[in-house]
Amino acid sequence: MRCALVLLLLAACGTRASSHRAKGVSAGGGAAADTTPADTTPPRARAGMLVARTVANRGELNGQWRPQAGVCASPPSFQLLAQGDSVDVLLLLNLPQGTAASGTYAVQAPQDTAPQGRTARIGAQEMRSADLAYQGISGTVQLERLDRLAAGRFDVTLQETPSHRQIRYLGVFDAVPVETLDVAACRLAQPDTALPAVRRQPA
């Protein structure tokens, strides 16, 4: 895996779906407040793909990619890396020892120094007119399968750097082939070696 070439803004280590909001008209003729609930339906899964979108559907991180996935023995971890023309996404799970990997993982904020258990990190990089980075600060990842194939979904809040704007991000991955990662790739899972952000330069 070319993990060293992608943004890893994890502090431990699209298809564009449209969401139309109806706007009413107030008695005075002005636009009424929008009371349509946000669409929090997860994207539709595709075999061998990571599909993700923002709840606000601004489109900056929306897409589908054929990711690379792998596991590390030490520290026990799972990495899912998607690299696109304009967006990179990396998901890292700290796997529990001595029990099944499937289950719910809480996204650990970058500044959280509590002992790591069943936790997750997620980061993204957008390379368009500006090089923007996004870091997971809350949410959950549901790992449904991890053997020769991986499957799961996430509902997380990302914080943009440097603006601190927050974005809710939904994703699903299904039937993604899993490999055993080498030592260099597994270093990304170690908090003391992955604090700096590693950026892939725009083409």
Side-chain angles (χ1 to χ4, degrees), residues 69-173:
V71 294
C72 295
S74 181
S77 58
F78 167 74
Q79 296 180 27
L80 181 77
L81 169 64
Q83 291 182 295
D85 294 335
S86 58
V87 175
D88 296 334
V89 180
L90 178 73
L91 173 67
L92 170 67
L93 303 181
N94 295 305
L95 302 177
Q97 295 188 7
T99 186
S102 59
T104 301
Y105 292 74
V107 172
Q108 192 172 30
Q111 66 274 16
D112 189 352
T113 58
Q116 294 185 350
R118 194 185 285 264
T119 56
R121 304 274 188 180
I122 186 169
Q125 178 177 235
E126 180 192 357
M127 296 166 290
R128 299 181 191 269
S129 57
D131 187 8
L132 301 176
Y134 301 83
Q135 197 165 17
I137 59 173
S138 64
T140 58
V141 178
Q142 185 69 35
L143 185 62
E144 298 165 357
R145 175 181 180 179
L146 182 58
D147 40 56
R148 61 183 182 84
L149 297 175
R153 62 187 62 241
F154 56 79
D155 182 346
V156 302
T157 298
L158 301 179
Q159 182 170 274
E160 182 187 289
T161 301
S163 72
H164 301 294
R165 178 171 64 108
Q166 294 185 7
I167 299 172
R168 188 171 173 185
Y169 200 41
L170 307 174
V172 58
F173 53 96

Side-chain angles (χ1 to χ4, degrees), residues 6-7 19 31 114 136 196:
V6 72
L7 162 76
S19 175

Side-chain angles (χ1 to χ4, degrees), residues 19 38-39 52 55 65 69-70 73 98 105 109 125 136 139 142 145 172 176 182 185 193 201 203:
S19 175
D39 180 9
V55 167
W65 307 269
Y105 292 74
Q125 178 177 235
Q142 185 69 35
R145 175 181 180 179
V172 58
V176 177
D182 59 24
T193 61
Q201 296 299 322

